[in-house]
Amino acid sequence: MSRLESLLGYTFADRALLQQALTHRSAAGRHNERLEFLGDAVLGYVIAEQLFTSRNADAEDALTLMRASLVRRETLAEIALQLDLGSCLKLGSGERSSGGHKRASILADALEAILGAVHVDGGIEAARQVIYRLFGERMSKLNVEDVKDPKTRLQEHLQGANLALPVYNIVETTGSAHERVFRVSCTIPELALEVTGEGTSRRAAEKIAADIMLKRIADIE
């Protein structure tokens, strides 16, 4: 616990919160799903706030893509591995024997739960400082052109699962001629899934819709 707190740069007043954040639902006792719910929201807010403050020249579409790349499961799992969260997790026997301590989804969820626990224990400023510590270098080096297009990631995912490519359609166009807002649907008929995204161009809206679809797929896998 002390080593993890040192890596986080935060010492818990109530260590039971940290223990709960590290407890998967497969284990006995209070698990981390509620803290994960809070941590997800806190992380999204703090990352959005920092990008808004530090990226004055970037448009909304670019900020949305950069935020998505920072809060996606793969990024969270990478940070969790750096913290060696796997060795700290409390798992049920089934998850433990099947390698749950290495599973990206479990690691990512645990990291979000820890952020939620920090917020409960110390408030938004404490959570903000921990997030800056864990994500700061990534945020400072992030370039929207380096963020892999969500449409490409979705296409690769579906092809890997031998599924047909998604279908994009414009649902609605609003705003003046110089301030258009496009609402685009992304549909995967074989999975009976449909989501929508909004952007200042059709392409931007399609990217955002694809990113939302990737999250939806991750939730059901």
Side-chain angles (χ1 to χ4, degrees):
M1 289 288 184
S2 297
R3 183 188 63 81
L4 180 56
E5 287 178 326
S6 177
L7 291 172
L8 294 172
Y10 180 78
T11 300
F12 280 83
D14 182 2
R15 271 200 171 176
L17 284 167
L18 179 56
Q19 292 173 341
Q20 182 183 348
L22 294 168
T23 302
H24 187 256
R25 66 176 179 229
S26 62
R30 298 182 66 189
H31 58 72
N32 62 11
E33 286 188 344
R34 283 175 56 84
L35 289 173
E36 176 201 338
F37 165 79
L38 178 60
D40 174 67
V42 171
L43 176 62
Y45 166 71
V46 171
I47 293 293
E49 177 189 53
Q50 178 62 14
L51 290 173
F52 176 83
T53 302
S54 62
R55 301 276 182 163
N56 295 323
D58 290 311
E60 176 192 359
D61 301 341
L63 295 175
T64 297
L65 291 174
M66 286 188 280
R67 180 184 61 189
S69 75
L70 288 165
V71 304
R72 66 194 179 104
R73 175 183 293 179
E74 292 85 354
T75 302
L76 298 178
E78 286 175 9
I79 293 173
L81 285 170
Q82 291 171 358
L83 295 172
D84 193 25
L85 279 193
S87 66
C88 304
L89 294 178
K90 183 178 180 181
L91 304 170
S93 58
E95 282 291 353
R96 188 165 56 249
S97 61
S98 64
H101 64 288
K102 297 179 182 179
R103 191 167 299 129
S105 59
I106 291 178
L107 290 170
D109 291 348
L111 181 59
E112 287 182 332
I114 287 172
L115 297 178
V118 171
H119 184 275
V120 172
D121 191 69
I124 186 63
E125 186 56 37
R128 184 182 283 113
Q129 292 306 314
V130 171
I131 291 168
Y132 286 174
R133 183 183 182 93
L134 298 180
F135 291 82
E137 184 176 357
R138 282 176 167 80
M139 281 194 282
S140 66
K141 294 180 178 180
L142 191 62
N143 187 318
V144 69
E145 294 181 0
D146 297 331
V147 178
K148 194 169 186 179
D149 188 333
K151 290 181 66 177
T152 301
R153 288 194 285 118
L154 179 58
Q155 178 177 318
E156 290 174 351
H157 183 89
L158 294 176
Q159 287 175 330
N162 294 315
L163 296 172
L165 298 183
V167 178
Y168 298 94
N169 287 300
I170 295 178
V171 175
E172 184 181 27
T173 304
T174 58
S176 64
H178 300 292
E179 296 182 347
R180 288 283 189 214
V181 176
F182 292 81
R183 186 168 175 234
V184 170
S185 66
C186 174
T187 306
I188 303 177
E190 290 176 84
L191 298 179
L193 294 177
E194 181 175 346
V195 300
T196 60
E198 292 185 357
T200 54
S201 69
R202 175 173 180 168
R203 179 170 175 77
E206 289 177 351
K207 288 181 179 181
I208 292 169
D211 187 70
I212 295 171
M213 180 61 80
L214 283 164
K215 291 185 175 71
R216 180 71 60 82
I217 292 173
D219 287 340
I220 65 175
E221 288 184 339

